[in-house]
Amino acid sequence: MADLRSDTVTRPTKGMRTAMARAAVGDDVFGDDPTVNALEAHVAELFGHEAALFAPSGTMANQIALQLVVPPGGELLAGADAHVVTYEVGAAALLGGISTRTWPSYGAALNAERITEMIRPAGFPSVPTAAIAVEQTHNLGGGGVIPLSTLQDLRVAADKHNIALHCDGARIWHAHIADGVTLAEYGALFDTLSVCLSKGLGAPVGSLVVGSRERIAKARVIRKRMGGGMRQAGILAAAGRYALDHHLQRLTEDHERARQIAEALAPFGVVDPEKVRTNLVPLDLSKHDLSAPALASAAAERGVLIAAMLPQVARLVTHLDLDEAGVDQAIDVLSDLLA
């Protein structure tokens, strides 16, 4: 099988498994797991922040971060197709008491001016805006990269209105590689970030919340409340550190393979290769006879797994475990089905 459903399907490499087996561990709930502590300090330093907190999942990391910057009953602005809105099963409302208002689905092509116009000040009869959340790279936006200048404009707007700016940075590593923007440059723009180790980087588990020392101290309490306190978590943290040390720069390979697939499928009118900049390849089937579920089902019968994200949108994701043979297989099968 050539599995292009997600970059979460990767398995730990031999080197990563060795690092996990050799990890020094303690009890992270007591704060004395040395491998977790080292990973948190390293990631915080990468993004130029004071502290970070290891969490079991990206959803938990996002929800912890949102609760740090939006009080119960406060308002969060986000994209209509943002992960924190669409794929976190209502957690912001249920767990954080957060009211969410969205802008239309632009993917990564955000309009900072229009978002700024949505901000409601304190004292307004409606719920005042407490924070803006953006997604870098953008999942339903086909792995699109939000330009640095747009993020800088949103930072200016957030400061002007005294609100927070959060980054769902599950795939921010890809943006860093694609645009050459340093992680510290990204970090300087946000009050909080969530960054994932178990997608393109290839670790089996784990994300981190990044922020100020004061916020991360509060985050530790929220994580415990949400059931995310782990004991000898250094075994997992070791995998994350190995991924950062060995798998970050190789993301260029995933980008190249995604572009290869996009160029091969472009003649069928389902994807624009110029818009494929990272490791996600969205297939727009709105003008095709096949729906996304039908294409996914037919491809699976021939050994290629893809994701049906929307009725007319399928997604292909390149990753650590997808080699050239898998890319060729995917191109051959999908070309035949789309022809």
Side-chain angles (χ1 to χ4, degrees), residues 19 86 266:
T86 307

Side-chain angles (χ1 to χ4, degrees), residues 53-259:
L53 180 72
F54 189 52
S57 72
T59 292
M60 183 178 287
N62 266 333
Q63 293 305 318
I64 290 171
L66 294 184
Q67 289 181 49
L68 291 175
V69 295
V70 184
E75 180 181 78
L76 174 73
L77 297 182
D81 52 8
H83 195 281
V84 296
V85 174
T86 307
Y87 292 119
E88 299 188 6
V89 291
L94 182 64
L95 303 178
I98 295 171
S99 175
T100 302
R101 192 157 51 95
T102 61
W103 59 78
S105 300
Y106 301 132
L110 303 185
N111 186 315
E113 183 177 352
R114 290 182 182 176
I115 294 171
T116 301
E117 291 172 353
M118 293 177 66
I119 297 172
R120 289 172 173 163
F124 195 83
S126 300
V127 180
T129 304
I132 299 169
V134 297
E135 190 173 323
Q136 182 75 311
T137 63
H138 201 288
N139 179 20
L140 284 182
V145 181
I146 304 172
L148 181 64
S149 59
T150 301
L151 297 175
Q152 291 169 334
D153 289 344
L154 288 174
R155 178 71 265 171
V156 170
D159 288 341
K160 178 180 179 181
H161 293 274
N162 195 30
I163 63 174
L165 188 60
H166 169 67
C167 178
D168 174 0
R171 294 186 175 92
I172 198 168
W173 321 103
H174 289 277
H176 160 59
I177 295 298
D179 272 5
V181 177
T182 69
L183 298 174
E185 284 180 282
Y186 280 133
L189 298 172
F190 298 102
D191 298 281
T192 56
L193 302 95
S194 66
V195 297
C196 185
L197 304 172
S198 62
K199 290 187 170 66
L201 293 181
V205 174
S207 289
L208 292 100
V209 185
V210 182
S212 68
R213 189 172 290 108
E214 179 182 4
R215 282 196 170 108
I216 296 304
K218 294 178 181 177
R220 190 170 295 276
V221 176
I222 298 171
R223 184 187 67 177
K224 179 66 173 175
R225 183 180 299 133
M226 295 173 70
M230 299 179 286
R231 300 298 178 172
Q232 286 69 46
I235 295 172
L236 301 176
R241 181 57 188 263
Y242 184 92
L244 286 168
D245 291 345
H246 295 87
H247 296 164
L248 180 56
Q249 295 304 317
R250 66 149 305 280
L251 293 178
T252 55
E253 298 175 26
D254 296 339
H255 298 180
E256 291 167 358
R257 286 171 175 160
R259 184 64 177 260

